[in-house]
Amino acid sequence: MEPLNNVLNFPILSLAIFLPTLGAILIWLLIKDERMVRWTALLVAVATFILTLPLIFSFDTSTAHMQFEELHHWIPAFNIDYRLGVDGISMPFIVLTGLLTIICIVSAWNCIQTRIKEYMIAFLILETTLIGVFAALDVMLFYFFWEAMLIPMYLIIGVWGGKNRVYATLKFFLYTLTGSVLMLVALLAMYFESGATSFAMLHFMDYAFNFTWQFWIFIAFFVAFAVKVPMWPVHTWLPDAHTEAPTAGSVILAGILLKMGAYGFLRFSLPMLPDASQYFAPMMIGLSLVAIVYISLVAMMQKDMKRLIAYSSIAHMGFVTLGIFVFTQVALEGAVINMISHGFVAAALFLCVGVLYDRLHTREIADYGGVVNVMPVFAAVMLFFSMANVALPGTSAFIGEIMVLIGTFAADPTHMSVSAKWVAIAAAISVVLSACYTLWMYKRVIMGEAIKDSVKSMQDLSLREFSYFVPLIILVVWVGFYPMPVLDLLHASIAHLVEQATSSKLEAAALLEHTSALPYAGAH
């Protein structure tokens, strides 16, 4: 099926990007009543989500080419274009952004009581920047959306966050800004080295950079993307940001923002810097294993539910980066499914914590116990997502993690410093660790007798609260039992990516010759 915009000349991506901003401007200029602010924001978010659905139904799964493309000259003096398009890798995250924005607005319906207009405006503008990141095909346009995202997220945490929100926002901002500056330097270096006449992303994918350039550019990209994932050891901003963020802020942070770093590796590092990606693969695999195993152990020690889930997110994203850097199609497809699944499961777990916090205004595990006695529906919902978090068969997380493990077992051992099977075994250990910290949290919070009077007074889920869990439950089960529609979206694009990432191998002698003077030389 030919993409809709090719048939009707319909700028669907532009509308999906800027409709939330138009809604934000409408709220800012014309609407004063708080109730109307909430409803207008919700209607705009729903309209944006509906607008993204044709991306699925009109998508041609048989090709790796970019679809729904748009091109306009933006800043001709600097050869910067407004260039949009999606493939099977980027398109699912645009739809996921639309869905989670709706859930964020509904979840904040009653718990946000101050500066409601500004809160809704911030979320709508954030939606614009996030969709823009996944749709941009000009690297400077990508960088614009990548950086613009910091502003609304900074405000969401800094204005509506917890008591240590200033510290958390500054840490988040400084970490991500530092990485972004290095990415900008790398993008400019690629532009001048390649002699390009534009900043088109596809041009840089086709250009063969020599290994020295790839080496240094990879390092710059690594800092930018590793901070966003986040990878160990640049992960420390995430638990603080999650702990201080309002519930909806944590939902969008875990559901979408963390995926931007992994998406950067998929869109920039592997196709543009294939030799450097293979050269640094042992390091990336090692850091991924540290995130998977060590961070899982750290999660087991947490007393705050939000911090525990935040560390859990770092461990699960370690599976994603592991799947990316073993360079097999099965593992790469599993990594993307893991990213999508984590968007469902982590978002839902933060929503569960938000439900509890709205009632008792504490996130400490020790302050609960016996919640099942007074909130049986909520206990069932939280049990479902806890099982999904430990990758129970039949859930979306199981599909992603088992594909990463299978792809790792089948990986080319030249990409690793140890046997592929030992890497897979080490990664599989985290499934046990994930069960330990997730079920321990569930037991302490939900099970047992309701001894505390504060717990005895808690009310079960309202219809509004239950409504935003329903689509996430459906999606987790659907992908868990029938992942083929998602795999069909990914297959052609991932196959092309694997070809790009592995088509320019350097022989060992040539590699040593090229890297004898580089700091990382001799790592193999």
Side-chain angles (χ1 to χ4, degrees):
M1 182 182 297
E2 191 173 4
L4 179 67
N5 68 325
N6 290 353
V7 177
L8 301 178
N9 195 27
F10 188 68
I12 186 170
L13 290 176
S14 289
L15 288 175
I17 290 171
F18 291 110
L19 179 59
T21 296
L22 292 175
I25 294 172
L26 175 66
I27 291 172
W28 176 42
L29 294 177
L30 300 180
I31 302 177
K32 296 182 179 179
D33 181 70
E34 292 181 351
R35 183 171 179 272
M36 284 302 299
V37 167
R38 291 188 177 97
W39 278 107
T40 303
L42 179 60
L43 289 174
V44 171
V46 170
T48 303
F49 175 66
I50 292 173
L51 198 57
T52 66
L53 295 180
L55 296 177
I56 300 175
F57 301 122
S58 298
F59 192 82
D60 184 356
T61 60
S62 65
T63 179
H65 294 300
M66 293 293 172
Q67 302 178 46
F68 304 94
E69 292 188 70
E70 301 175 33
L71 173 61
H72 305 282
H73 296 301
W74 182 24
I75 310 177
F78 296 101
N79 296 324
I80 300 175
D81 294 326
Y82 176 81
R83 189 186 300 263
L84 304 176
V86 293
D87 62 358
I89 297 172
S90 57
M91 184 270 286
F93 296 104
I94 293 176
V95 181
L96 180 61
T97 300
L99 174 63
L100 289 184
T101 302
I102 296 173
I103 291 173
C104 286
I105 290 174
V106 175
S107 69
W109 203 261
N110 293 329
C111 62
I112 299 297
Q113 296 294 333
T114 59
R115 300 187 178 185
I116 296 170
K117 176 187 286 193
E118 291 83 358
Y119 185 86
M120 295 302 175
I121 288 173
F123 261 97
L124 291 176
I125 294 176
L126 181 62
E127 183 177 21
T128 284
T129 61
L130 293 174
I131 294 176
V133 164
F134 295 114
L137 290 185
D138 183 282
V139 296
M140 283 300 165
L141 183 65
F142 174 90
Y143 182 79
F144 169 80
F145 285 122
W146 177 281
E147 286 292 85
M149 173 277 303
L150 290 176
I151 300 172
M153 197 67 217
Y154 180 91
L155 294 173
I156 289 168
I157 301 174
V159 176
W160 295 275
K163 61 181 180 180
N164 294 321
R165 59 186 180 273
V166 175
Y167 168 78
T169 49
L170 285 175
K171 194 172 183 180
F172 161 71
F173 192 87
L174 291 175
Y175 266 71
T176 52
L177 183 64
T178 301
S180 299
V181 170
L182 290 176
M183 180 171 68
L184 177 61
V185 172
L187 294 176
L188 293 173
M190 293 170 67
Y191 173 76
F192 290 111
E193 167 63 14
S194 65
T197 58
S198 75
F199 285 93
M201 196 177 290
L202 299 181
H203 167 79
F204 297 124
M205 292 181 185
D206 293 335
Y207 186 82
F209 294 95
N210 68 51
F211 186 80
T212 302
W213 277 98
Q214 288 192 39
F215 180 94
W216 294 110
I217 292 170
F218 184 95
I219 291 176
F221 282 160
F222 166 75
V223 175
F225 301 147
V227 167
K228 273 289 201 299
V229 169
M231 297 180 70
W232 181 89
V234 289
H235 66 285
T236 58
W237 64 268
L238 183 67
D240 293 322
H242 270 308
T243 301
E244 301 305 325
T247 297
S250 290
V251 169
I252 207 72
L253 183 60
I256 300 298
L257 264 70
L258 302 192
K259 312 306 179 292
M260 290 167 55
Y263 177 75
F265 285 125
L266 293 169
R267 186 60 82 216
F268 287 81
S269 302
L270 265 63
M272 298 180 189
L273 313 168
D275 298 318
S277 295
Q278 293 175 57
Y279 180 68
F280 281 104
M283 180 191 76
M284 299 299 296
I285 291 169
L287 293 177
S288 299
L289 291 177
V290 170
I292 292 170
V293 179
Y294 168 69
I295 297 299
S296 293
L297 295 173
V298 174
M300 293 175 65
M301 304 304 295
Q302 301 306 309
K303 299 178 181 180
D304 183 297
M305 285 184 283
K306 260 196 171 185
R307 291 187 75 86
L308 187 149
I309 299 168
Y311 280 111
S312 172
S313 294
I314 299 169
H316 285 295
M317 290 304 293
F319 256 100
V320 172
T321 51
L322 173 64
I324 291 172
F325 282 92
V326 297
F327 304 111
T328 63
Q329 174 141 357
V330 173
L332 274 162
E333 290 182 1
V336 177
I337 288 190
N338 228 0
M339 292 163 67
I340 297 169
S341 171
H342 184 262
F344 305 150
V345 177
L349 287 174
F350 280 116
L351 288 168
C352 288
V353 176
V355 168
L356 295 172
Y357 185 81
D358 287 345
R359 285 153 174 78
L360 296 191
H361 300 290
T362 176
R363 295 182 299 268
E364 293 293 318
I365 294 172
D367 292 336
Y368 293 89
V371 172
V372 66
N373 298 286
V374 293
M375 300 178 68
V377 176
F378 171 79
V381 169
M382 189 169 179
L383 177 63
F384 173 81
F385 288 111
S386 295
M387 293 297 102
N389 197 51
V390 303
L392 188 74
T395 63
S396 54
F398 174 78
I399 301 298
E401 292 191 6
I402 198 66
M403 289 181 70
V404 170
L405 292 174
I406 291 171
T408 302
F409 265 109
D412 185 345
T414 60
H415 297 145
M416 307 182 184
S417 55
V418 297
S419 169
K421 68 179 181 180
W422 290 113
V423 172
I425 290 170
I429 291 173
S430 75
V431 176
V432 178
L433 297 177
S434 176
C436 289
Y437 61 71
T438 303
L439 297 181
W440 174 81
M441 177 184 71
Y442 186 84
K443 173 183 177 295
R444 294 280 304 276
V445 173
I446 304 297
M447 307 305 292
E449 295 295 325
I451 299 174
K452 298 179 176 65
D453 291 336
S454 56
V455 172
K456 292 178 181 179
S457 65
M458 294 170 69
Q459 300 294 317
D460 210 344
L461 292 177
S462 67
L463 182 61
R464 176 187 62 84
E465 290 170 328
F466 185 71
S467 69
Y468 53 68
F469 285 111
V470 171
L472 298 175
I473 293 172
I474 292 171
L475 289 167
V476 168
V477 173
W478 174 55
V479 176
F481 279 95
Y482 187 53
M484 285 311 299
V486 181
L487 291 173
D488 287 341
L489 289 175
L490 298 176
H491 189 73
S493 296
I494 294 293
H496 181 58
L497 179 59
V498 172
E499 181 182 355
Q500 289 176 306
T502 59
S503 62
S504 182
K505 293 183 178 180
L506 292 175
E507 297 296 331
L511 186 61
L512 291 174
E513 179 184 349
H514 278 294
T515 61
S516 59
L518 296 177
Y520 193 60
H524 282 22

